[in-house]
Amino acid sequence: MPDLDLNLLVALDALLTERSVSGAARKLGLSTSAMSRTLSRLRSALGDPILVPAGRAMVATPHAEAIASQVRTLTLAVQTVLSPPPVTQIRDLRRDFTIRANDSFVLLYAARLSATVTEAAPGVRLSFAPKPDKDIEPLRNASIDLDIGVVSGNGAELRGQTLFEDSFVGVARTGHPILASQPVSAASYAACGHVVGSRRGEFSGAVDDALAELGLSRKVHLVVPSYPAVLAAAAASDLVGVVPRSCCQAETMGATSLFELPVETPRFVITQTWHPRMDADPVHRWLRALIFDELRSRPEATGNAAALASLPSNHYPLSPSPAG
């Protein structure tokens, strides 16, 4: 439709409402001569006079009368479509959000986030989806609204926001012999039996690489699919495990105690990630801000409030990077 001019629709609506060229000109902030030229264009486009003189006034033609209500409806629709979204009243929202996160995050934060959301917006519901992998396609096809975890590095078009920084610590049942001597030595640590948390069922990881640099190796007896399962296995056996520091909170530790690992392992950043189609959505922005504030207000998530405060708070495009 190369000749389509939506301004003509607005002008036609004003003319049919005012039934006057000068009245329509005042309504649209135009000069009378400009509105007269617009009326000429409309007459040519519609093949109809639209308004004709009747004494000192003007009256609409039968065709103009017939289309007047459609013109009004279309004008209002165009104005709605081409205007910013209305101001959202959070307490009046009725919307569901799907968030993908691992078992540890759900265990630690799902109930807290639900309570905070419900207090602010009783009509908003959260659904936490399992995270079997880091595939970004669910964000692209909108089957999930947010992904929370370590960025995979293969979603350059996605947007992300740092929530907190984390690191690994060792865990063992309370009373385990390894806890008797602090700090734990690399040799005594390697001599223990181990339980490993791995979604992919892998028996080795960053800890093994660090031990190998010291000429040591550990014996892994058990692999489980999540960090809560590592805590449960360690509590019920003599196996020692490795979990993110954020997992070591009073409600999750049970009969286990943590200890500092005798080897260096990489720190990692937990990020909330979304597709850029949701950047400007006011309700999605509200949820992201709520999650950000809730996580930042809980320094126990990393055990290091100073490090938490130093992390960036703005959101940014995600560029390819190692998974970590």
Side-chain angles (χ1 to χ4, degrees):
M1 304 175 71
D3 297 326
L4 179 64
D5 183 353
L6 291 180
N7 288 316
L8 289 180
L9 180 65
V10 176
L12 179 58
D13 181 58
L15 286 165
L16 295 178
T17 300
E18 299 294 326
R19 305 296 169 103
S20 162
V21 172
S22 58
R26 284 193 299 273
K27 184 174 184 178
L28 298 182
L30 300 175
S31 66
T32 301
S33 59
M35 182 55 71
S36 294
R37 291 193 296 273
T38 300
L39 178 57
S40 296
R41 291 180 62 196
L42 283 165
R43 285 168 170 167
S44 176
L46 272 65
D48 186 86
I50 303 174
L51 294 177
V52 295
R56 300 181 65 179
M58 300 190 80
V59 295
T61 64
H63 178 62
E65 291 281 10
I67 65 173
S69 62
Q70 291 177 279
V71 170
R72 175 96 286 247
T73 299
L74 287 171
T75 301
L76 292 175
V78 168
Q79 289 172 343
T80 299
V81 169
L82 298 181
S83 298
V87 176
T88 302
Q89 299 298 322
I90 297 300
R91 291 201 65 81
D92 297 334
L93 287 174
R94 295 294 182 271
R95 186 160 166 181
D96 297 338
F97 288 97
T98 300
I99 302 172
R100 187 175 67 175
N102 64 28
D103 292 347
S104 300
F105 187 91
V106 173
L107 181 64
L108 291 169
Y109 301 112
R112 297 175 181 178
L113 290 174
S114 176
T116 304
V117 166
T118 300
E119 182 179 0
V124 172
R125 302 185 299 183
L126 302 182
S127 173
F128 280 88
K131 188 170 183 174
D133 51 44
K134 297 179 182 179
D135 181 22
I136 64 172
E137 192 58 33
L139 285 170
R140 287 173 169 162
N141 64 29
S143 58
I144 63 173
D145 297 289
L146 275 172
D147 182 280
I148 296 179
V150 178
V151 177
S152 65
N154 61 353
E157 87 270 25
L158 301 180
R159 299 291 184 267
Q161 184 180 43
T162 298
L163 295 177
F164 59 86
E165 189 178 36
D166 214 341
S167 60
F168 286 113
V169 293
V171 291
R173 65 171 176 81
T174 301
H176 193 290
I178 198 173
L179 302 172
S181 178
Q182 298 288 339
V184 172
S185 71
S188 62
Y189 173 74
C192 293
H194 292 260
V195 54
V196 168
S198 172
R199 269 187 322 223
R200 302 183 183 90
E202 297 172 346
F203 282 79
S204 62
V207 169
D208 299 278
D209 296 337
L211 286 171
E213 292 183 3
L214 301 176
L216 298 170
S217 63
R218 62 177 178 169
K219 182 175 287 187
V220 175
H221 294 277
L222 177 65
V223 176
V224 292
S226 69
Y227 293 123
V230 170
L231 287 168
S237 70
D238 281 335
L239 300 176
V240 298
V242 174
V243 299
R245 192 180 299 272
S246 62
C247 291
C248 300
Q249 298 183 27
E251 60 266 43
T252 59
M253 289 297 288
T256 58
S257 299
L258 68 83
F259 60 90
E260 296 300 326
L261 293 172
V263 292
E264 291 288 332
T265 55
R267 299 182 69 84
F268 52 96
V269 171
I270 303 302
T271 301
Q272 61 175 340
T273 308
W274 63 94
H275 195 274
R277 77 164 68 85
M278 306 307 296
D279 260 348
D281 181 270
V283 185
H284 199 278
R285 291 174 67 92
W286 167 78
L287 179 64
R288 298 195 309 258
L290 182 146
I291 292 173
F292 177 82
D293 290 342
E294 181 70 13
L295 270 293
R296 284 299 180 99
S297 70
R298 298 182 182 277
E300 76 273 13
T302 62
N304 189 331
L308 185 63
S310 70
L311 292 173
S313 62
N314 60 306
H315 64 79
Y316 48 86
L318 298 178
S319 56
S321 60

